[in-house]
Coordinates of all heavy atoms in Angstrom, one line a residue:
S1 N 88.8 85.1 100.4 CA 89.8 85.9 99.8 C 91.2 85.4 100.2 O 91.3 84.7 101.2 CB 89.6 87.3 100.2 OG 90.6 87.9 101.0
S2 N 92.2 85.7 99.5 CA 93.6 85.2 99.8 C 94.5 86.4 99.6 O 94.2 87.4 98.9 CB 94.0 84.1 98.9 OG 94.0 84.5 97.6
G3 N 95.6 86.4 100.3 CA 96.5 87.5 100.2 C 98.0 87.0 100.3 O 98.2 85.8 100.4
I4 N 98.9 87.9 100.2 CA 100.3 87.7 100.3 C 101.0 88.6 101.3 O 100.6 89.8 101.3 CB 101.0 87.8 98.9 CG1 100.4 86.7 98.0 CG2 102.5 87.7 99.0 CD1 100.9 86.8 96.6
N5 N 101.9 88.1 102.1 CA 102.6 88.9 103.0 C 104.1 88.8 102.7 O 104.6 87.7 102.4 CB 102.4 88.4 104.4 CG 103.2 89.1 105.5 OD1 103.0 90.4 105.6 ND2 104.0 88.4 106.2
A6 N 104.8 90.0 102.7 CA 106.2 90.0 102.4 C 106.9 90.3 103.8 O 106.8 91.4 104.3 CB 106.6 91.1 101.4
E7 N 107.7 89.3 104.3 CA 108.5 89.5 105.5 C 109.9 90.0 105.1 O 110.5 89.3 104.4 CB 108.5 88.2 106.3 CG 109.4 88.2 107.5 CD 109.0 89.3 108.5 OE1 107.8 89.3 108.9 OE2 109.9 90.1 108.9
Y8 N 110.3 91.1 105.6 CA 111.5 91.7 105.1 C 112.8 91.3 105.9 O 113.9 91.6 105.6 CB 111.5 93.2 105.1 CG 110.5 93.8 104.0 CD1 109.9 95.0 104.2 CD2 110.3 93.1 102.9 CE1 109.1 95.5 103.2 CE2 109.5 93.6 101.9 CZ 108.9 94.8 102.1 OH 108.1 95.3 101.1
G9 N 112.6 90.5 107.0 CA 113.7 90.1 107.8 C 114.7 89.3 107.0 O 114.4 88.5 106.2
G10 N 116.0 89.7 107.1 CA 117.1 88.9 106.4 C 117.3 89.4 105.0 O 118.1 88.8 104.3
R11 N 116.6 90.4 104.6 CA 116.7 91.0 103.2 C 117.5 92.3 103.3 O 117.6 92.9 104.3 CB 115.4 91.2 102.6 CG 114.5 90.1 102.5 CD 115.0 89.1 101.5 NE 114.1 88.0 101.3 CZ 114.4 87.0 100.6 NH1 115.5 86.9 99.8 NH2 113.6 86.0 100.5
S12 N 118.1 92.6 102.1 CA 118.9 93.9 102.0 C 118.0 95.0 101.4 O 117.1 94.7 100.6 CB 120.1 93.7 101.1 OG 120.9 92.7 101.7
P13 N 118.3 96.2 101.8 CA 117.5 97.3 101.2 C 117.6 97.3 99.7 O 118.6 97.0 99.1 CB 118.2 98.6 101.7 CG 118.8 98.1 103.0 CD 119.2 96.7 102.8
G14 N 116.4 97.4 99.0 CA 116.4 97.4 97.6 C 116.0 96.0 97.0 O 115.7 95.9 95.8
D15 N 116.1 94.9 97.8 CA 115.7 93.6 97.4 C 114.2 93.7 97.1 O 113.5 94.5 97.6 CB 115.9 92.6 98.4 CG 117.4 92.1 98.6 OD1 118.2 92.6 97.8 OD2 117.6 91.4 99.5
S16 N 113.7 92.8 96.2 CA 112.3 92.8 95.8 C 111.7 91.4 95.8 O 112.5 90.4 95.6 CB 112.1 93.5 94.5 OG 112.7 92.8 93.4
A17 N 110.4 91.3 96.0 CA 109.7 90.1 95.8 C 108.6 90.4 94.8 O 108.0 91.5 94.8 CB 109.0 89.7 97.1
I18 N 108.4 89.5 93.8 CA 107.5 89.8 92.7 C 106.5 88.6 92.5 O 106.9 87.5 92.6 CB 108.3 90.0 91.4 CG1 109.2 91.2 91.5 CG2 107.3 90.2 90.2 CD1 110.1 91.4 90.4
I19 N 105.3 89.0 92.4 CA 104.3 88.0 92.0 C 103.6 88.5 90.7 O 103.5 89.7 90.5 CB 103.2 87.7 93.0 CG1 102.5 89.0 93.4 CG2 103.8 87.1 94.3 CD1 101.3 88.8 94.3
S20 N 103.3 87.6 89.8 CA 102.7 87.9 88.5 C 101.4 87.1 88.3 O 101.3 86.0 88.7 CB 103.7 87.7 87.4 OG 104.8 88.5 87.5
T21 N 100.5 87.7 87.5 CA 99.3 87.0 87.1 C 99.6 86.2 85.8 O 100.6 86.6 85.1 CB 98.1 88.0 86.8 OG1 98.5 88.7 85.6 CG2 97.8 88.9 88.0
P22 N 98.8 85.2 85.5 CA 98.9 84.7 84.2 C 98.5 85.8 83.1 O 97.9 86.8 83.5 CB 97.9 83.5 84.2 CG 97.5 83.3 85.6 CD 97.8 84.6 86.3
T23 N 98.7 85.5 81.9 CA 98.3 86.5 80.8 C 96.8 86.5 80.8 O 96.1 85.5 80.8 CB 98.9 86.0 79.5 OG1 100.3 86.0 79.5 CG2 98.4 87.0 78.4
V24 N 96.3 87.8 80.7 CA 94.9 88.0 80.6 C 94.6 88.4 79.2 O 95.2 89.2 78.6 CB 94.5 89.2 81.6 CG1 93.0 89.5 81.4 CG2 94.8 88.9 83.0
D25 N 93.6 87.7 78.6 CA 93.2 88.0 77.2 C 92.4 89.3 77.1 O 91.5 89.6 77.8 CB 92.3 86.9 76.7 CG 93.0 85.6 76.6 OD1 94.3 85.6 76.4 OD2 92.4 84.5 76.8
R26 N 92.9 90.1 76.2 CA 92.2 91.4 75.8 C 91.0 91.8 76.7 O 89.9 91.4 76.5 CB 91.7 91.2 74.4 CG 92.8 90.9 73.4 CD 92.2 90.7 72.0 NE 93.2 90.1 71.2 CZ 94.0 90.8 70.4 NH1 94.0 92.1 70.4 NH2 94.9 90.3 69.7
A27 N 91.3 92.6 77.7 CA 90.4 92.9 78.7 C 89.3 93.9 78.3 O 88.2 93.9 78.9 CB 91.1 93.5 80.0
G28 N 89.6 94.8 77.4 CA 88.6 95.8 77.0 C 88.8 97.1 77.6 O 89.6 97.3 78.5
P29 N 88.1 98.1 77.2 CA 88.3 99.5 77.5 C 87.9 99.9 79.0 O 88.3 100.9 79.4 CB 87.5 100.3 76.6 CG 86.4 99.4 76.2 CD 87.0 98.0 76.2
R30 N 87.3 99.0 79.7 CA 86.8 99.4 81.1 C 87.5 98.5 82.2 O 87.0 98.5 83.3 CB 85.3 99.3 81.2 CG 84.6 100.3 80.3 CD 83.2 100.3 80.5 NE 82.6 101.2 79.6 CZ 81.3 101.2 79.2 NH1 80.5 100.3 79.7 NH2 80.9 102.1 78.4
C31 N 88.5 97.9 81.9 CA 89.2 97.0 82.8 C 90.0 97.8 83.9 O 90.6 98.8 83.6 CB 90.1 96.1 82.1 SG 90.9 94.8 83.1
E32 N 89.9 97.3 85.1 CA 90.7 98.0 86.2 C 91.1 96.9 87.2 O 90.6 95.8 87.2 CB 89.9 99.1 86.9 CG 88.6 98.6 87.6 CD 87.9 99.8 88.2 OE1 87.5 100.7 87.4 OE2 87.7 99.7 89.4
I33 N 92.1 97.2 88.0 CA 92.6 96.3 89.1 C 92.3 97.0 90.4 O 92.5 98.3 90.5 CB 94.1 96.0 88.9 CG1 94.5 95.1 90.1 CG2 94.9 97.3 88.9 CD1 95.9 94.5 89.9
N34 N 91.8 96.3 91.3 CA 91.5 96.8 92.7 C 92.2 95.8 93.7 O 92.2 94.6 93.5 CB 90.0 96.8 92.9 CG 89.4 97.9 92.1 OD1 89.6 99.0 92.2 ND2 88.5 97.4 91.2
F35 N 92.8 96.4 94.7 CA 93.5 95.6 95.7 C 93.5 96.3 97.0 O 93.3 97.6 97.1 CB 94.9 95.2 95.3 CG 95.8 96.4 95.0 CD1 96.6 96.9 96.0 CD2 95.7 97.0 93.8 CE1 97.4 98.0 95.7 CE2 96.6 98.1 93.5 CZ 97.4 98.6 94.5
W36 N 93.7 95.6 98.1 CA 93.9 96.2 99.4 C 95.4 95.9 99.8 O 96.0 94.9 99.4 CB 93.0 95.4 100.5 CG 91.6 95.8 100.3 CD1 90.7 95.3 99.4 CD2 90.8 96.7 101.1 NE1 89.4 95.8 99.6 CE2 89.5 96.7 100.6 CE3 91.2 97.6 102.1 CZ2 88.5 97.6 101.1 CZ3 90.2 98.4 102.6 CH2 88.9 98.4 102.1
Y37 N 95.9 96.9 100.5 CA 97.3 96.7 101.0 C 97.5 97.2 102.4 O 96.7 98.1 102.9 CB 98.3 97.5 100.0 CG 98.1 99.0 100.0 CD1 99.0 99.8 100.8 CD2 97.1 99.6 99.3 CE1 98.9 101.1 100.8 CE2 97.0 101.0 99.3 CZ 97.9 101.7 100.0 OH 97.7 103.1 100.1
H38 N 98.5 96.7 103.0 CA 98.9 97.1 104.4 C 100.4 97.3 104.4 O 101.1 96.4 104.0 CB 98.5 95.9 105.4 CG 98.7 96.2 106.8 ND1 99.9 96.1 107.4 CD2 97.9 96.6 107.8 CE1 99.8 96.4 108.7 NE2 98.6 96.7 108.9
M39 N 100.9 98.4 104.8 CA 102.3 98.7 104.9 C 102.6 99.3 106.3 O 101.9 100.3 106.7 CB 102.7 99.7 103.8 CG 102.5 99.2 102.4 SD 102.7 100.5 101.2 CE 104.5 100.4 101.0
M40 N 103.4 98.7 107.1 CA 103.7 99.2 108.4 C 105.1 98.9 108.8 O 105.6 97.8 108.6 CB 102.7 98.6 109.4 CG 102.8 99.3 110.7 SD 101.4 98.7 111.8 CE 101.9 99.5 113.3
G41 N 105.8 99.9 109.4 CA 107.1 99.7 110.0 C 108.0 100.8 109.6 O 107.8 101.6 108.7
Q42 N 109.1 100.9 110.4 CA 110.1 102.0 110.2 C 110.7 101.8 108.8 O 111.1 100.7 108.4 CB 111.2 102.0 111.2 CG 110.7 102.6 112.5 CD 111.9 102.7 113.5 OE1 112.6 101.7 113.7 NE2 112.1 103.8 114.0
N43 N 111.0 102.9 108.1 CA 111.7 102.9 106.8 C 111.1 101.9 105.8 O 111.8 101.1 105.2 CB 113.2 102.6 107.1 CG 113.8 103.5 108.0 OD1 113.7 104.8 107.8 ND2 114.4 103.0 109.1
M44 N 109.8 102.0 105.7 CA 109.0 101.1 104.8 C 109.5 101.2 103.4 O 109.9 102.3 102.9 CB 107.5 101.6 104.8 CG 106.6 100.7 104.1 SD 106.3 99.2 105.0 CE 106.6 98.0 103.6
G45 N 109.5 100.1 102.7 CA 109.9 100.1 101.3 C 108.7 100.6 100.4 O 108.0 101.4 100.8
H46 N 108.6 100.0 99.2 CA 107.7 100.4 98.2 C 106.8 99.2 97.7 O 107.3 98.1 97.7 CB 108.4 101.0 97.0 CG 109.3 102.1 97.3 ND1 108.8 103.4 97.6 CD2 110.6 102.2 97.3 CE1 109.9 104.1 97.8 NE2 111.0 103.4 97.6
L47 N 105.6 99.5 97.3 CA 104.8 98.5 96.6 C 104.5 99.1 95.2 O 104.0 100.2 95.1 CB 103.4 98.4 97.4 CG 102.3 97.6 96.6 CD1 102.7 96.2 96.4 CD2 101.0 97.7 97.4
N48 N 104.9 98.4 94.2 CA 104.6 98.8 92.8 C 103.7 97.8 92.2 O 103.8 96.6 92.3 CB 105.9 98.8 92.0 CG 106.9 99.9 92.5 OD1 106.5 100.9 93.0 ND2 108.2 99.5 92.5
V49 N 102.7 98.3 91.4 CA 101.9 97.4 90.6 C 102.1 97.8 89.1 O 101.9 99.0 88.7 CB 100.4 97.6 91.0 CG1 99.5 96.7 90.1 CG2 100.2 97.3 92.4
W50 N 102.6 96.8 88.3 CA 102.9 97.0 87.0 C 102.0 96.3 86.0 O 101.5 95.2 86.4 CB 104.3 96.5 86.7 CG 105.4 97.1 87.5 CD1 105.9 96.7 88.7 CD2 106.2 98.3 87.1 NE1 106.9 97.5 89.1 CE2 107.1 98.5 88.2 CE3 106.2 99.1 86.1 CZ2 108.0 99.5 88.2 CZ3 107.1 100.2 86.0 CH2 108.0 100.3 87.1
M51 N 101.8 96.8 84.8 CA 101.1 96.1 83.7 C 102.2 95.8 82.7 O 102.9 96.7 82.3 CB 100.0 96.9 83.1 CG 99.3 96.2 82.0 SD 98.0 97.1 81.2 CE 98.9 98.5 80.5
M52 N 102.2 94.5 82.2 CA 103.1 94.1 81.1 C 102.3 93.8 79.9 O 101.4 93.0 80.0 CB 103.9 92.9 81.5 CG 104.6 93.0 82.9 SD 106.0 94.1 82.8 CE 107.1 93.2 81.7
A53 N 102.5 94.5 78.8 CA 101.8 94.3 77.6 C 102.7 94.7 76.4 O 103.3 95.8 76.4 CB 100.5 95.2 77.6
N54 N 102.7 93.9 75.4 CA 103.4 94.2 74.2 C 104.9 94.5 74.5 O 105.5 95.4 74.0 CB 102.8 95.3 73.4 CG 101.4 95.0 72.9 OD1 101.1 93.9 72.5 ND2 100.6 96.0 72.9
S55 N 105.5 93.7 75.4 CA 106.9 93.9 75.8 C 107.2 95.2 76.5 O 108.3 95.6 76.6 CB 107.8 93.7 74.6 OG 107.7 92.5 74.1
A56 N 106.1 95.9 76.9 CA 106.3 97.2 77.7 C 105.8 97.0 79.1 O 104.8 96.3 79.4 CB 105.5 98.3 77.0
K57 N 106.5 97.7 80.0 CA 106.1 97.7 81.4 C 105.6 99.1 81.8 O 106.3 100.1 81.7 CB 107.4 97.3 82.2 CG 107.3 97.1 83.6 CD 108.6 96.7 84.2 CE 108.7 96.7 85.7 NZ 110.1 96.3 86.1
T58 N 104.4 99.1 82.3 CA 103.7 100.4 82.7 C 103.4 100.4 84.2 O 102.7 99.5 84.7 CB 102.4 100.6 81.9 OG1 102.7 100.6 80.5 CG2 101.8 101.9 82.2
L59 N 103.8 101.4 84.9 CA 103.5 101.5 86.3 C 102.1 101.9 86.5 O 101.7 103.0 86.1 CB 104.5 102.5 87.0 CG 104.3 102.6 88.5 CD1 104.7 101.3 89.2 CD2 105.3 103.8 89.0
L60 N 101.3 101.1 87.2 CA 99.9 101.4 87.4 C 99.7 102.1 88.8 O 98.8 102.9 89.0 CB 99.0 100.2 87.4 CG 99.0 99.4 86.0 CD1 98.2 98.2 86.2 CD2 98.4 100.3 84.9
A61 N 100.5 101.7 89.8 CA 100.3 102.2 91.2 C 101.6 102.1 91.9 O 102.3 101.1 91.7 CB 99.2 101.5 91.9
K62 N 101.9 103.1 92.8 CA 103.1 103.0 93.6 C 102.7 103.5 95.0 O 102.1 104.6 95.1 CB 104.2 103.9 93.0 CG 105.5 103.8 93.9 CD 106.6 104.6 93.3 CE 107.9 104.4 94.1 NZ 109.1 104.8 93.4
K63 N 103.0 102.7 96.0 CA 102.7 103.1 97.4 C 104.1 103.0 98.1 O 104.8 102.0 98.0 CB 101.7 102.1 98.0 CG 100.4 101.9 97.2 CD 99.7 103.2 97.1 CE 98.4 103.0 96.3 NZ 97.7 104.3 96.1
S64 N 104.3 104.0 98.9 CA 105.7 104.0 99.6 C 105.6 104.8 100.9 O 106.4 105.7 101.1 CB 106.7 104.7 98.7 OG 106.3 106.0 98.3
F65 N 104.7 104.4 101.8 CA 104.6 105.1 103.0 C 104.2 104.2 104.2 O 103.7 103.1 103.9 CB 103.7 106.3 103.0 CG 102.2 105.9 102.8 CD1 101.4 105.7 103.9 CD2 101.7 105.6 101.6 CE1 100.1 105.3 103.8 CE2 100.4 105.2 101.4 CZ 99.6 105.0 102.6
D66 N 104.4 104.6 105.4 CA 103.9 104.0 106.6 C 103.3 105.1 107.4 O 104.0 106.0 107.8 CB 104.9 103.3 107.4 CG 104.4 102.9 108.8 OD1 103.2 102.6 108.9 OD2 105.2 103.0 109.7
N67 N 102.0 105.2 107.5 CA 101.4 106.3 108.3 C 101.3 106.0 109.8 O 100.7 106.7 110.5 CB 100.0 106.6 107.7 CG 99.0 105.5 107.9 OD1 99.3 104.5 108.6 ND2 97.8 105.7 107.5
G68 N 101.9 104.9 110.2 CA 101.9 104.5 111.6 C 100.7 103.8 112.1 O 100.6 103.3 113.2
A69 N 99.7 103.7 111.2 CA 98.4 103.1 111.6 C 98.4 101.6 111.1 O 98.8 101.3 110.0 CB 97.2 103.8 111.0
D70 N 97.9 100.8 112.0 CA 97.8 99.3 111.6 C 96.5 99.1 110.9 O 95.5 98.5 111.5 CB 97.9 98.5 112.9 CG 98.0 97.0 112.6 OD1 98.1 96.6 111.5 OD2 97.9 96.2 113.6
V71 N 96.4 99.6 109.7 CA 95.1 99.5 108.9 C 95.4 99.1 107.5 O 96.5 99.2 107.0 CB 94.3 100.9 108.9 CG1 93.9 101.3 110.3 CG2 95.2 102.0 108.3
W72 N 94.3 98.6 106.8 CA 94.4 98.3 105.4 C 93.8 99.4 104.6 O 92.9 100.1 105.0 CB 93.5 97.0 105.2 CG 94.2 95.8 105.7 CD1 94.2 95.3 106.9 CD2 94.9 94.8 104.9 NE1 94.9 94.1 107.0 CE2 95.4 93.8 105.7 CE3 95.3 94.8 103.5 CZ2 96.1 92.7 105.3 CZ3 96.0 93.7 103.1 CH2 96.5 92.7 104.0
F73 N 94.4 99.6 103.4 CA 93.9 100.6 102.5 C 93.5 100.0 101.2 O 94.1 99.0 100.8 CB 95.0 101.7 102.2 CG 95.4 102.4 103.4 CD1 96.5 102.0 104.2 CD2 94.7 103.6 103.9 CE1 96.9 102.7 105.3 CE2 95.1 104.3 105.0 CZ 96.2 103.9 105.7
E74 N 92.5 100.6 100.6 CA 92.1 100.1 99.2 C 92.7 101.0 98.2 O 92.8 102.2 98.3 CB 90.6 100.1 99.1 CG 90.1 99.5 97.8 CD 88.5 99.5 97.8 OE1 87.9 100.1 98.6 OE2 88.0 98.8 96.9
S75 N 93.1 100.3 97.1 CA 93.7 101.1 95.9 C 93.3 100.4 94.7 O 92.8 99.3 94.7 CB 95.2 101.2 96.1 OG 95.7 102.0 95.1
G76 N 93.5 101.0 93.6 CA 93.2 100.5 92.3 C 93.8 101.3 91.2 O 94.3 102.4 91.4
A77 N 93.7 100.8 89.9 CA 94.2 101.5 88.8 C 93.4 101.1 87.6 O 93.0 99.9 87.4 CB 95.6 101.2 88.6
F78 N 93.2 102.0 86.7 CA 92.5 101.8 85.4 C 93.5 101.1 84.5 O 94.7 101.5 84.4 CB 92.0 103.1 84.8 CG 91.5 103.0 83.4 CD1 90.2 102.4 83.2 CD2 92.1 103.4 82.3 CE1 89.7 102.2 82.0 CE2 91.6 103.3 81.1 CZ 90.4 102.7 80.9
I79 N 93.1 100.0 83.8 CA 93.9 99.3 82.9 C 93.6 99.7 81.4 O 94.4 100.1 80.7 CB 93.9 97.8 83.1 CG1 94.5 97.5 84.5 CG2 94.7 97.1 82.0 CD1 94.4 96.1 84.9
G80 N 92.3 99.4 81.1 CA 91.8 99.8 79.7 C 92.6 99.2 78.6 O 92.7 99.8 77.5
Q81 N 93.3 98.1 78.8 CA 94.1 97.5 77.8 C 93.3 96.6 76.8 O 92.5 95.9 77.2 CB 95.2 96.6 78.5 CG 96.2 96.0 77.6 CD 97.1 97.1 77.1 OE1 97.3 98.1 77.6 NE2 97.7 96.8 75.9
Q82 N 93.6 96.8 75.6 CA 92.9 96.1 74.6 C 93.7 95.0 73.8 O 93.5 94.6 72.8 CB 92.2 97.0 73.6 CG 91.1 97.8 74.3 CD 90.3 98.6 73.3 OE1 90.1 98.3 72.2 NE2 89.7 99.7 73.8
T83 N 94.9 94.7 74.5 CA 95.7 93.6 74.0 C 95.9 92.7 75.3 O 95.6 93.1 76.4 CB 97.1 94.1 73.5 OG1 97.7 94.8 74.5 CG2 96.9 95.0 72.3
D84 N 96.5 91.5 75.0 CA 96.8 90.6 76.2 C 97.8 91.3 77.1 O 98.7 92.0 76.7 CB 97.4 89.3 75.6 CG 96.4 88.5 74.8 OD1 95.2 88.9 74.7 OD2 96.9 87.6 74.1
F85 N 97.6 91.1 78.4 CA 98.5 91.7 79.4 C 98.6 90.8 80.6 O 97.9 89.9 80.8 CB 98.0 93.1 79.8 CG 96.7 93.0 80.6 CD1 96.8 93.1 82.0 CD2 95.5 93.0 79.9 CE1 95.6 93.0 82.7 CE2 94.3 93.0 80.6 CZ 94.4 93.0 82.0
S86 N 99.6 91.1 81.5 CA 99.7 90.5 82.8 C 99.9 91.6 83.8 O 100.4 92.7 83.5 CB 100.7 89.4 82.8 OG 102.0 90.0 82.6
I87 N 99.7 91.3 85.1 CA 99.9 92.2 86.2 C 101.0 91.7 87.0 O 101.1 90.5 87.3 CB 98.6 92.4 87.0 CG1 97.5 93.0 86.2 CG2 98.9 93.3 88.3 CD1 97.7 94.4 85.7
M88 N 102.0 92.6 87.4 CA 103.1 92.2 88.2 C 103.0 93.1 89.5 O 103.0 94.3 89.4 CB 104.4 92.4 87.5 CG 105.6 92.0 88.2 SD 107.1 92.1 87.2 CE 107.3 93.9 87.2
I89 N 103.0 92.5 90.7 CA 103.1 93.2 91.9 C 104.4 93.0 92.6 O 104.9 91.8 92.7 CB 101.9 92.7 92.9 CG1 100.6 92.9 92.2 CG2 102.0 93.4 94.2 CD1 99.4 92.4 92.9
E90 N 105.1 94.1 92.9 CA 106.4 94.1 93.4 C 106.5 94.8 94.7 O 106.1 95.9 94.9 CB 107.3 94.8 92.4 CG 108.7 95.0 92.8 CD 109.5 95.9 91.7 OE1 108.9 96.9 91.2 OE2 110.6 95.5 91.5
G91 N 107.1 94.1 95.7 CA 107.4 94.7 97.0 C 108.9 94.9 97.1 O 109.7 94.0 96.9
I92 N 109.3 96.1 97.4 CA 110.7 96.5 97.5 C 111.1 96.8 99.0 O 110.4 97.6 99.6 CB 111.1 97.7 96.6 CG1 110.7 97.3 95.1 CG2 112.6 98.0 96.7 CD1 110.9 98.4 94.2
V93 N 112.1 96.2 99.4 CA 112.6 96.3 100.8 C 113.1 97.7 101.1 O 113.9 98.3 100.3 CB 113.7 95.3 101.2 CG1 114.2 95.5 102.6 CG2 113.2 93.9 101.0
G94 N 112.7 98.3 102.2 CA 113.2 99.6 102.6 C 114.5 99.5 103.3 O 115.2 98.5 103.2
S95 N 114.9 100.5 104.1 CA 116.2 100.5 104.8 C 116.2 99.8 106.1 O 117.2 99.9 106.8 CB 116.7 101.9 104.9 OG 115.8 102.7 105.6
S96 N 115.1 99.2 106.5 CA 115.0 98.5 107.8 C 114.2 97.2 107.7 O 113.3 97.1 107.0 CB 114.3 99.5 108.8 OG 114.1 98.8 110.1
Y97 N 114.6 96.3 108.5 CA 113.9 95.0 108.5 C 112.6 95.1 109.4 O 111.9 94.1 109.4 CB 114.8 93.9 109.1 CG 115.1 94.0 110.6 CD1 114.3 93.5 111.5 CD2 116.2 94.8 111.0 CE1 114.6 93.7 112.9 CE2 116.5 95.0 112.3 CZ 115.7 94.4 113.3 OH 115.9 94.6 114.6
T98 N 112.4 96.2 110.0 CA 111.2 96.3 110.9 C 110.0 96.8 110.1 O 109.2 97.5 110.7 CB 111.5 97.3 112.0 OG1 111.8 98.6 111.5 CG2 112.7 96.8 112.9
S99 N 109.8 96.4 108.9 CA 108.6 96.8 108.1 C 108.1 95.6 107.4 O 108.8 94.6 107.1 CB 109.0 97.9 107.1 OG 110.0 97.4 106.2
D100 N 106.8 95.6 107.2 CA 106.1 94.5 106.6 C 105.1 95.0 105.6 O 104.5 96.1 105.8 CB 105.3 93.6 107.6 CG 106.3 92.8 108.5 OD1 107.1 92.0 107.9 OD2 106.3 93.0 109.7
L101 N 104.8 94.3 104.6 CA 103.9 94.6 103.5 C 103.0 93.4 103.2 O 103.4 92.3 103.2 CB 104.7 95.0 102.2 CG 104.0 95.0 100.9 CD1 103.0 96.2 100.9 CD2 105.0 95.2 99.8
A102 N 101.7 93.7 103.0 CA 100.8 92.6 102.7 C 99.8 93.2 101.7 O 99.4 94.4 101.7 CB 100.0 92.2 103.9
I103 N 99.3 92.3 100.8 CA 98.3 92.7 99.8 C 97.2 91.7 99.8 O 97.4 90.5 100.2 CB 98.9 92.8 98.4 CG1 99.5 91.5 97.9 CG2 99.8 94.0 98.3 CD1 99.9 91.5 96.5
D104 N 96.0 92.1 99.4 CA 94.9 91.2 99.3 C 94.0 91.6 98.1 O 93.9 92.8 97.8 CB 94.1 91.2 100.6 CG 93.0 90.1 100.7 OD1 93.1 89.2 99.9 OD2 92.1 90.3 101.5

C-alpha cells in the first residue's frame, strides 16, 4: 500500500494540498471509495474528499478533528456514479503548524 503525508510547517492557515485521480470510466451504481486517514495535532485542519463529474464538484467526505489519539481511522463514501468521474483529496491547513495529516 502507499500513502501521502501533508506536512503543514511553513504553510498559512487555509492553504491546501490537493491530489487527484485520473478519470475513472463509468463506475456503475455500486461504486464506493474507501481510505484510511490519520489527523493529529493542535488546531487540525480539514480533509475533504471530492468527486468531480460533469463539471460538478460533490463533497463525499469531510474530516476535521484531532481526537488526541495517534491512530488511523477508516472512512469511505458511496459514489454510485454512472458517468466518468475523478476523485480529488484535499488537505486544508488549520491554524497551527503543529498538526499533520496522512491518508492511505
